[in-house]
Amino acid sequence: MTEPHISVGIMSAQQIKFSLFNSYKLNNDSLEKGDYSAQISNGKIDFNGNLYDEVQLHASDIHADSFELKDAVIGINFHWERKEDQQFQGHLKFIIENDMITAVNIVSLEDYLVSVISSEMSATSSEELLKAHAVISRSWLLAQVDKNKSLETSKENYQTSYEDGNEIVRWWDREDHANFDVCADDHCQRYQGITKQSTPLVTDVIEKTHGQVMMYEDAICDTRFYKCCGGFLETFENVWEPTPHPYLVGKADSKNIAFEKPDLTIEEEAEEWIKTSPAAFCNTKDARVLKQVLNDYDQETSDFFRWKVTYTQEEIAALILKRSGIDYGDILEITPLERGTSGRIIRLKIVGTERVMTIGKELEIRRTLSESHLYSSAFVVEAAEENDEGIPSGFTLYGAGWGHGVGLCQIGAAVMADKGYKYDAILEHYYPGARIENKY
């Protein structure tokens, strides 16, 4: 296998403004460096005085030629969402999706990784942490490409949701991206091109781990990751499709806690766990270590290991209606029905004066109960005092962790590296039973 080129969906808009920093080829014509724009016109891409179904701008040197996209949105639907001008190297393609123009960057895999490591983490992180992340970012991407091919050739109807009159269960995965390999945001992996300043260490780490992936039996591992597990890792099928991955299982984020205790699928044990501050690799307030994992906008979040959110009755009823489109009336109960190995809620019952529904999985729950996303679905619920009609005046959610909890906990891994663990030991901890192998 040779190093592949991959396609990354960067942004979508009715009009995209961009700058070329080198000359590019459009068919046989040369486009000089400068400012350009592309916009939708009668279902076509209006670019440079012509209408196209698709526009492909080819770099002379995929490793060096670069361009800038204006007002790319990062942190889509998350609490830190904002726009940035972002620079990328490689080829640039414009396609039409849902009556919008989508900008797609075609880039070599190893160049992509230099950016991902600098976007997902701080480029000043420790070498062992960066090595671990380089391996899993490479593995995750190649696993998604393989999954894409499998879905395309499979005759099975791949579903990411099911619902009836009383229950809605949804999960989100990268199958949303039919026209490119991955997107550039947290839904896949953060990829901000060469916007984020890299360091010689990042480049060196990519070279030292060149082609290395995590393998389980004969398949590249689907190496999921997130910010903070909250003390326990979640099992893959509790978050996504019901397909067991033996290396993505529930376990303590510690070398000192037995897996059997506590059992966070039990409500009482989950409540005690979430309302305390147990020992775990990711239970840290060390700003020096956190800075390795949290970029500038991530550092706006400080209460990731244990957190609390309070809503009045008016706030929670309006929020759930806005986010779900379902009118529950006044909210009477928010009750966990099923928890995963990390205490994350898989199925949640919402009882209102007008409607009763069960929702899942974890991201659907997080989306429904927040203007953006709750930090995680590992939370317990306390109702405030009821009025004469038995309607609570509000609810408080006590939560743990930041993200889905499956695979590598970035803050936990940073602490492990700081304690002297090598990258292979870090990967063994978060992906038990998997092995490192050179793929190309």
Side-chain angles (χ1 to χ4, degrees):
M1 178 180 182
T2 57
E3 179 189 349
H5 292 172
I6 60 163
S7 57
V8 189
I10 307 298
M11 63 180 293
S12 294
Q14 288 287 320
Q15 181 185 48
I16 296 179
K17 296 181 178 181
F18 64 101
S19 299
L20 300 179
F21 296 138
N22 305 90
S23 62
Y24 274 69
K25 287 284 188 180
L26 173 59
N27 299 322
N28 293 321
D29 298 326
S30 180
L31 289 176
E32 296 305 314
K33 62 182 180 179
D35 298 330
Y36 296 87
S37 68
Q39 46 275 326
I40 286 284
S41 178
N42 297 320
K44 300 279 189 177
I45 301 172
D46 182 353
F47 175 66
N48 224 28
N50 296 296
L51 296 178
Y52 302 88
D53 293 318
E54 181 176 290
V55 174
Q56 297 195 41
L57 305 181
H58 288 273
S60 299
D61 185 344
I62 194 172
H63 301 293
D65 292 351
S66 63
F67 57 90
E68 182 176 77
L69 298 176
K70 312 295 185 182
D71 290 334
V73 181
I74 64 171
I76 297 173
N77 294 327
F78 285 88
H79 58 281
W80 61 86
E81 180 176 316
R82 66 200 64 192
K83 292 182 178 180
E84 283 187 347
D85 295 345
Q86 295 186 335
Q87 297 178 13
F88 302 88
Q89 60 190 28
H91 309 311
L92 172 61
K93 180 167 70 172
F94 294 112
I95 60 175
I96 299 175
E97 292 185 313
N98 303 316
D99 298 320
M100 307 270 275
I101 298 176
T102 296
V104 180
N105 179 206
I106 293 87
V107 62
S108 73
L109 177 53
E110 299 297 311
D111 287 342
Y112 165 84
L113 288 177
V114 171
S115 170
V116 166
I117 301 307
S118 301
S119 302
E120 282 284 351
M121 321 284 286
S122 167
T124 58
S125 298
S126 66
E127 181 173 357
E128 297 304 311
L129 175 62
L130 291 174
K131 282 182 180 178
H133 218 294
V135 173
I136 65 171
S137 292
R138 186 183 293 111
S139 303
W140 178 85
L141 175 59
L142 292 175
Q144 302 318 302
V145 171
D146 286 348
K147 180 179 179 181
N148 220 16
K149 293 176 182 176
S150 176
L151 290 175
E152 288 175 0
T153 58
S154 174
K155 295 181 179 180
E156 296 181 11
N157 182 22
Y158 181 75
Q159 293 181 292
T160 58
S161 67
Y162 63 86
E163 57 185 280
D164 57 30
N166 300 310
E167 184 165 4
I168 298 173
V169 176
R170 296 191 184 104
W171 60 93
W172 278 260
D173 213 340
R174 58 84 36 235
E175 72 283 342
D176 298 340
H177 309 314
N179 298 315
F180 41 84
D181 294 323
V182 289
C183 71
D185 210 42
D186 294 73
H187 181 261
C188 293
Q189 296 187 116
R190 284 185 191 173
Y191 170 66
Q192 294 166 10
I194 53 178
T195 308
K196 295 295 180 184
Q197 184 177 8
S198 189
T199 64
L201 175 59
V202 170
T203 304
D204 185 52
V205 159
I206 298 301
E207 291 177 355
K208 286 180 177 177
T209 65
H210 185 89
Q212 288 185 6
V213 297
M214 298 295 291
M215 298 287 294
Y216 186 85
E217 295 182 344
D218 296 326
I220 299 174
C221 293
D222 187 346
T223 44
R224 305 289 167 125
F225 57 90
Y226 51 91
K227 288 300 177 192
C228 175
C229 67
F232 243 79
L233 278 60
E234 191 49 75
T235 305
F236 178 88
E237 56 266 36
N238 290 338
V239 176
W240 291 287
E241 66 264 25
T243 304
H245 290 54
Y247 52 89
L248 294 177
V249 294
K251 61 175 292 188
D253 188 26
S254 169
K255 296 295 187 182
N256 302 318
I257 302 176
F259 172 65
E260 291 80 13
K261 295 181 180 180
D263 183 348
L264 302 182
T265 64
I266 299 172
E267 190 64 28
E268 294 76 13
E269 296 199 33
E271 181 170 352
E272 181 180 356
W273 173 267
I274 290 169
K275 285 191 170 182
T276 56
S277 185
F281 286 126
C282 60
N283 186 358
T284 181
K285 295 185 181 299
D286 188 333
R288 178 182 53 82
V289 173
L290 292 175
K291 191 176 180 180
Q292 298 181 38
V293 179
L294 304 180
N295 278 321
D296 48 3
Y297 43 85
D298 287 328
Q299 291 179 43
E300 296 167 14
T301 304
S302 59
D303 54 349
F304 49 83
F305 187 75
R306 291 294 182 270
W307 48 267
K308 181 175 78 170
V309 176
T310 299
Y311 296 115
T312 65
Q313 174 64 232
E314 292 74 19
E315 288 171 339
I316 193 70
L319 177 63
I320 293 176
L321 171 60
K322 176 183 176 181
R323 297 291 282 167
S324 69
I326 299 171
D327 185 3
Y328 288 84
D330 290 325
I331 306 301
L332 302 176
E333 297 177 21
I334 302 174
T335 305
L337 298 181
E338 183 182 358
R339 292 185 183 271
T341 50
S342 70
R344 282 166 172 78
I345 302 170
I346 303 170
R347 296 171 66 240
L348 181 77
K349 185 177 182 181
I350 302 176
V351 180
T353 54
E354 301 295 328
R355 188 75 178 269
V356 178
M357 288 286 289
T358 298
I359 64 172
K361 297 184 177 184
E362 67 92 35
L363 188 55
E364 180 73 6
I365 293 168
R366 292 166 63 195
R367 287 162 57 98
T368 301
L369 297 179
S370 173
E371 285 287 354
S372 55
H373 294 71
L374 283 177
Y375 291 155
S376 82
S377 69
F379 59 83
V380 295
V381 185
E382 286 188 1
E385 184 178 352
E386 298 178 358
N387 63 17
D388 294 339
E389 297 175 342
I391 298 173
S393 61
F395 296 87
T396 297
L397 312 183
Y398 296 90
W402 182 3
H404 51 69
V406 178
L408 183 135
C409 171
Q410 291 175 317
I411 292 173
V415 172
M416 289 186 73
D418 193 59
K419 290 180 178 293
Y421 288 89
K422 299 300 183 183
Y423 82 108
D424 54 347
I426 295 172
L427 295 175
E428 181 183 2
H429 172 65
Y430 289 110
Y431 307 101
R435 69 185 188 279
I436 299 174
E437 185 177 303
N438 274 88
K439 201 65 179 175
Y440 55 82

